[in-house]
């Protein structure tokens, strides 16, 4: 089992990464539970797969469960109430620990419920998708969507620990695995060219779920995220670089209807747009843009925006992005592989050109056939 630390002073916490963590007896992570009461929040898909395993692990505790419907479209205020209902019906006190067992949707909702219940109770992340293992379970961003914008209601609230059992990825649908790879590739692009080079060599191993490569990629990603969060927990600056591709991506997710495009898929297309913009600004070379786009494609991700989105559709959502300052859209762009910047230093004309580019045609000249 590998152990990393998110360094946040008195709120520091460990990330455990390994195989069979939910089923073996080496459960060092139980020491991070402070009371006797626990509530496991999960969903209808994950419960039949892993709820019994986690309950077995927690057999010494007074264990309650809350099983939510599955889907991004349920990451909302109404469904959040079900967690509060379960907490109150079970008479949970301030000493309760919430477990988030599932992907990013469950992690974001259970974390937000923990932040609110009795003004804050403990919670533990047990992420079961690649995306949640490398990104959403770390760093304390919790929250829900609003019909007018994604992740618009929430709180920064750190877990007691993160337990990453890579064995859970064996049941993950391929499309979800690819969506997680979008965030893995993001780390290479924004922070670490060595990681990007390694990913170019090992993308097929990751798609084939080769354990040692998977653990290496998850650990590398978590290290980068933990370092960024330690320096800028509340996103005063640096942390925003973790949003490469997200401003375009959130617009796609919101416009297409939550759940129709996966978060990672929308981020992949958003990353293509950010790469193209960085290239047209002269900040990255054609070869860098092309390598990154080819890696996203090899990971099984979409690289062309939905055909039914106009420039105005994009701009409408991008204007309510959390990075937008005084009406000015800010984007995460690259100044090389491994070097990201958050900037509004681009003209409205360039942004409009990026949003109206024929990506299908552009890809024909960029994609290298296998
Ligand atoms: P998700 O939570 O919807 O999970 C994807 C699907 O996989 C769901 O159907 C889920 O039930 C299923 N699933 C989960 N684990 C499984 C397993 N082991 N086997 C089989 N099926 C499994 O999606 P996600 O990609 O994990 O997370 C996306 C969400 O995370 C979005 O809401 C996004 O906004 C949020 N997010 C948050 C942060 C953050 O910092 N808090 C960062 C990135 C993304
Ligand atoms: N996923 C972006 C962040 O955690 O800041």
């Amino acid at each position: 089992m590998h152990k990393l630390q998110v360094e946040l002073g008195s709120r520091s916490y460990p990330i455990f990464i390994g195989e069979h963590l939910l089923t073996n007896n080496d459960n060092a992570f139980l020491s991070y539970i402070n009371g006797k009461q626990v509530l496991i929040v999960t969903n209808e898909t994950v419960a039949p797969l892993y709820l019994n395993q986690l309950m077995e692990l927690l057999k010494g505790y007074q264990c309650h469960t809350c099983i939510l419907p599955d889907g991004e479209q349920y990451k909302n205020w109404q469904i959040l109430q079900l967690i509060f209902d379960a907490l109150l019906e079970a008479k949970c006190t301030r000493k309760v620990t919430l477990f988030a067992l599932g992907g990013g949707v469950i992690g974001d909702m259970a974390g937000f419920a923990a932040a609110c219940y009795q003004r804050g109770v403990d919670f533990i992340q047990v992420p079961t998708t690649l995306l949640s293992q490398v990104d959403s379970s770390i760093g304390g961003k919790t929250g829900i969507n609003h019909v007018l914008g994604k992740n618009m209601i929430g709180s920064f609230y750190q877990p007691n620990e993160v337990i990453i059992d890579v064995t859970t990825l064996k049941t993950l649908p391929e499309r979800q695995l690819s969506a997680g790879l979008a965030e893995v590739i993001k780390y290479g692009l924004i922070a670490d060219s060595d990681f990007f080079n390694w990913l170019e060599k090992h993308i097929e191993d990751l798609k084939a779920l080769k354990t040692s490569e998977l653990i290496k990629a998850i650990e590398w990603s978590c290290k980068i995220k933990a370092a960024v969060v330690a320096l800028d927990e509340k996103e005063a600056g640096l942390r925003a670089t973790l949003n490469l591709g997200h401003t375009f991506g959130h617009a796609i997710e919101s416009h297409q209807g939550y759940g129709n495009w996966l978060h990672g898929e929308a981020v992949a297309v958003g990353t293509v747009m950010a790469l193209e913009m960085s290239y047209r600004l002269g900040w990255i070379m054609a070869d860098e843009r092309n390598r990154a786009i080819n890696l996203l494609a090899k990971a099984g991700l979409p690289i062309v925006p939905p055909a039914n989105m106009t420039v105005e559709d994009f701009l409408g959502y991008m204007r309510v992005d959390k990075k937008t300052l005084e009406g000015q859209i800010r984007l995460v762009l690259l100044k090389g592989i491994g070097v990201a910047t958050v900037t509004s230093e681009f003209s409205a004309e360039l942004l409009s050109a990026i949003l109206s580019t024929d990506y299908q045609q552009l890809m024909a000249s960029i994609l290298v056939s296998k």
Side-chain angles (χ1 to χ4, degrees):
M1 183 162 71
H2 303 245
K3 186 180 174 193
L4 304 172
Q5 187 80 356
V6 183
E7 299 289 356
L8 286 168
S10 60
R11 288 171 298 107
S12 298
Y13 56 93
I15 304 169
F16 296 99
I17 306 167
E19 274 188 284
H20 307 297
L21 296 194
L22 295 180
T23 46
N24 72 15
N25 289 323
D26 178 13
N27 41 25
F29 33 80
L30 292 185
S31 63
Y32 292 84
I33 307 172
N34 288 315
K36 275 283 150 204
Q37 259 181 340
V38 302
L39 176 85
I40 303 172
V41 182
T42 186
N43 72 24
E44 289 162 344
T45 306
V46 178
L49 297 168
Y50 302 110
L51 182 57
N52 281 346
Q53 289 181 9
L54 185 56
M55 285 182 79
E56 179 62 23
L57 200 71
L58 297 171
K59 61 177 180 283
Y61 295 82
Q62 189 188 319
C63 198
H64 304 282
T65 58
C66 173
I67 300 176
L68 302 180
D70 180 11
E72 182 74 35
Q73 67 274 32
Y74 298 112
K75 189 174 147 183
N76 61 31
W77 198 250
Q78 286 73 27
I79 301 299
L80 182 73
Q81 295 297 332
L82 300 180
I83 308 179
F84 298 128
D85 292 349
L87 283 161
L88 286 162
E89 278 160 19
K91 301 196 171 34
C92 290
T93 68
R94 270 204 171 143
K95 281 284 198 182
V96 69
T97 298
L98 267 70
F99 273 76
L101 174 69
V105 169
I106 289 295
D108 282 10
M109 291 180 82
F112 189 37
C116 300
Y117 187 64
Q118 301 206 12
R119 302 197 180 86
V121 295
D122 288 349
F123 93 108
I124 289 176
Q125 291 273 16
V126 188
T128 60
T129 61
L130 180 62
L131 186 139
S132 56
Q133 295 183 348
V134 297
D135 192 355
S136 61
S137 63
I138 301 150
K141 279 191 181 175
T142 71
I144 54 172
N145 300 325
H146 188 281
V147 278
L148 297 180
K150 205 175 139 50
N151 293 335
M152 278 293 158
I153 297 151
S155 162
F156 285 99
Y157 196 69
Q158 302 294 340
N160 289 20
E161 62 175 326
V162 182
I163 303 167
I164 299 177
D165 184 346
V166 301
T167 317
T168 58
L169 299 181
K170 292 215 162 96
T171 55
L172 194 67
E174 205 178 327
R175 185 176 167 203
Q176 298 288 351
L177 185 79
S178 291
L181 287 172
E183 302 281 11
V184 173
I185 294 168
K186 170 192 82 178
Y187 290 117
L189 287 172
I190 62 164
D192 192 334
S193 57
D194 287 343
F195 187 34
F196 180 84
N197 297 340
W198 183 89
L199 286 169
E200 283 188 308
K201 289 198 190 86
H202 293 283
I203 195 71
E204 294 304 334
D205 297 332
L206 296 176
K207 284 183 77 187
L209 293 179
K210 287 203 180 151
T211 307
S212 65
E213 283 78 7
L214 211 46
I215 289 181
K216 185 161 179 160
I218 292 170
E219 200 182 356
W220 209 328
S221 301
C222 289
K223 256 189 203 154
I224 293 172
K225 177 132 192 198
V228 170
V229 169
L231 289 169
D232 181 22
E233 182 187 8
K234 300 261 169 89
E235 201 165 305
L238 178 69
R239 185 164 179 171
T241 59
L242 295 173
N243 275 321
L244 175 68
H246 285 55
T247 307
F248 300 111
H250 282 167
I252 294 173
E253 274 185 279
S254 302
H255 181 268
Q256 298 296 298
Y258 295 133
N260 290 322
W261 272 61
L262 302 181
H263 177 71
E265 293 173 338
V267 165
V269 171
T271 301
V272 169
M273 296 169 108
L275 284 161
E276 180 60 14
M277 188 138 172
S278 308
Y279 167 65
R280 289 202 209 169
L281 282 163
W283 292 353
I284 61 171
M285 295 190 299
D287 178 56
E288 294 174 307
R289 174 198 65 182
N290 297 356
R291 281 171 63 199
I293 291 176
N294 274 285
L295 185 57
L296 291 165
K298 279 189 190 145
L301 288 157
I303 45 175
V304 172
N308 65 351
M309 275 185 85
T310 64
V311 172
E312 268 316 311
D313 288 334
F314 268 105
L315 289 175
Y317 286 102
M318 290 170 76
R319 286 190 192 105
V320 294
D321 182 73
K322 289 191 281 311
K323 287 184 296 305
T324 296
L325 265 189
E326 289 161 4
Q328 205 157 30
I329 293 172
R330 295 189 311 144
L331 293 169
V332 182
L333 299 177
L334 296 183
K335 293 206 160 176
I337 289 183
V339 187
T341 182
V342 185
T343 184
S344 55
E345 277 174 42
F346 47 81
S347 65
E349 290 72 31
L350 175 59
L351 179 56
S352 192
I354 292 297
L355 296 174
S356 53
T357 290
D358 181 341
Y359 284 89
Q360 205 81 50
Q361 193 181 29
L362 181 65
M363 290 312 140
S365 63
I366 289 180
L367 286 185
V368 178
S369 55
K370 283 185 192 165

